[in-house]
Amino acid sequence: AAAMSVGAAHAQSNVTMYGIIDAAVEYYNNADAAGNSLTRMPSLGGGMFPSRLGFKGSEDLGDDLKAIFTLENGFYVDSGALGQNRLFGRQAFVGLAGKWGQVTFGRNYNMIYNSMFEVDIVGPSQYGLGAIDPAIPNGRSDNSIAYKGVFDRYTVGATYSLGRDVSNAGGPSGTSCAGENAVDAQACREWSAMVRYDSPAGGVVIGYDRVNGGAGAAAGLTRSGLTDTRLNLAGYIRFGEWKLAGGALSRRNEGATATPDSRLYYIEASCKVTAALTIDGEMARLDYRNSGNDTNQAMIRAMLDLSKRTTAYVATGHISNHGSAAIALSAGGSVGVGKAQNGVIAGLKHSF
């Protein structure tokens, strides 16, 4: 009884449920080689803010030490289906936190994802950078150990995965590279690192991510000796009601033998027009080295806060593909090879 009472005295556990529900309707042209248009409710990524349901909690262990956990589910409002091919596909980890930072174990965001905070103003929206490089909004690793620490205005972080993606469902959330292989220790490993500086006036960040391939893995990474690396260099500034940001993401994918090297350049801006109305947008270019298969993208968005938790939005975007490029403006959408595409989307987001 004494042991039970001591345990109860130290248990100061707090659990929070939270989420976002976002649904939209969009129209875009050149959905196929014949140039047909399409009107739909997008599934992947929802409208402008990916829908989710999460649980997070902490327990005070004493001496400035806490136990922490997060379980976060992604889902599609148009059908109610699970996202990321998992029950808790967005995040699933447990760990310890203190003044020194936090260490977590499970399915964690990698540091390319973390390096996009503040500099990717538009964020994981339907017409954002994720349409060009799906690894940006889907920067998560299974079987991973993650560290992140904030020291005054500096943030440092790193992850290491023993097997980066157990799902074989296809797409950015299922690249079939489970790893944890006794025969081939390097198969499907991943590591990432980040250093950033943030101040009220602006900040800079550098993030790096490297994944190894494995038998049957997607993106041409069919053996562990092949790697796919990304390096993100970016910054942002604030002045008055304005915020400007930009960066360059360099990639070398050894699984893409014809065009392994690419650069993604992006510039974004936002302005708080009134207390309730924000206008933002971006311009981006994906440049494949020594290739004409490049893509340009632009979008502008208006968001109106109807309350502290409910936001209505409308956005329009344009993407132009060259050569054999066929990147759709909308995540999960389609476009004819080498065709340009215009789209408009309107929706509603509610957070809780």
Side-chain angles (χ1 to χ4, degrees):
M4 291 176 64
S5 65
V6 171
H10 283 283
Q12 301 292 326
S13 184
N14 298 293
V15 178
T16 301
M17 182 178 73
Y18 63 93
I20 292 176
I21 304 173
D22 184 306
V25 177
E26 69 174 341
Y27 165 89
Y28 56 79
N29 64 354
N30 287 333
D32 55 24
N36 293 311
S37 60
L38 178 66
T39 301
R40 67 168 192 161
M41 294 186 70
S43 290
L44 298 179
M48 286 288 143
F49 305 89
S51 297
R52 68 202 68 173
L53 173 64
F55 304 88
K56 60 182 178 181
S58 65
E59 180 187 8
D60 186 358
L61 302 177
D63 296 325
D64 294 318
L65 186 65
K66 295 188 297 183
I68 59 173
F69 79 88
T70 294
L71 297 171
E72 189 174 280
N73 159 282
F75 62 91
Y76 306 142
V77 177
D78 65 322
S79 64
L82 286 175
Q84 295 84 40
N85 313 308
R86 298 164 174 86
L87 176 59
F88 294 108
R90 293 182 60 84
Q91 298 181 83
F93 64 75
V94 64
L96 295 172
K99 293 181 179 179
W100 43 267
Q102 68 178 44
V103 174
T104 55
F105 304 84
R107 180 166 168 82
N108 291 282
Y109 286 120
N110 66 31
M111 292 303 147
I112 285 294
Y113 184 98
N114 280 277
S115 74
M116 301 306 297
F117 292 160
E118 298 288 358
V119 298
D120 186 9
I121 296 172
V122 172
S125 63
Q126 202 64 27
Y127 295 173
L129 295 178
I132 299 179
D133 187 348
I136 294 174
N138 291 283
R140 307 173 181 91
S141 301
D142 298 339
N143 305 303
S144 63
I145 305 167
Y147 167 78
K148 187 163 66 172
V150 180
F151 307 96
D152 193 17
R153 293 180 176 179
Y154 295 91
T155 303
V156 295
T159 66
Y160 187 79
S161 172
L162 300 169
R164 57 185 172 84
D165 193 352
V166 303
S167 173
N168 61 2
S173 298
T175 60
S176 187
C177 209
E180 299 183 316
N181 190 332
V183 177
D184 187 354
Q186 291 303 310
C188 305
R189 297 292 172 99
E190 177 182 18
W191 69 272
S192 67
M194 178 194 70
V195 177
R196 63 180 304 137
Y197 171 85
D198 297 283
S199 75
V204 292
V205 62
I206 178 171
Y208 179 84
D209 177 68
R210 171 174 172 164
V211 303
N212 284 75
L221 301 171
T222 53
R223 53 187 175 85
S224 62
L226 297 175
T227 62
D228 188 0
T229 61
R230 287 175 172 85
L231 175 67
N232 184 40
L233 296 170
Y236 66 97
I237 58 172
R238 291 189 177 94
F239 52 95
E241 301 300 324
W242 283 86
K243 180 180 179 182
L244 298 178
L249 192 152
S250 174
R251 181 184 182 188
R252 179 169 179 79
N253 178 13
E254 294 178 348
T257 55
T259 54
D261 296 306
S262 65
R263 305 288 187 273
L264 173 58
Y265 305 101
Y266 57 94
I267 183 169
E268 306 188 26
S270 70
C271 179
K272 198 163 185 61
V273 181
T274 69
L277 177 64
T278 300
I279 306 292
D280 59 14
E282 72 166 28
M283 297 181 66
R285 174 175 172 78
L286 178 61
D287 177 22
Y288 280 100
R289 315 302 286 179
N290 304 313
S291 168
N293 304 323
D294 302 325
T295 299
N296 298 318
Q297 180 199 52
M299 69 92 74
I300 186 169
R301 176 176 67 183
M303 297 182 292
L304 180 64
D305 294 331
L306 305 178
S307 71
K308 292 180 66 175
R309 295 183 177 273
T310 304
T311 300
Y313 57 82
V314 61
T316 183
H318 170 82
I319 199 165
S320 58
N321 292 292
H322 304 278
S324 61
I327 296 177
L329 175 66
S330 182
S334 59
V335 65
V337 174
K339 288 185 175 294
Q341 192 170 62
N342 299 305
V344 61
I345 185 170
L348 188 70
K349 179 203 77 168
H350 178 75
S351 60
F352 60 91

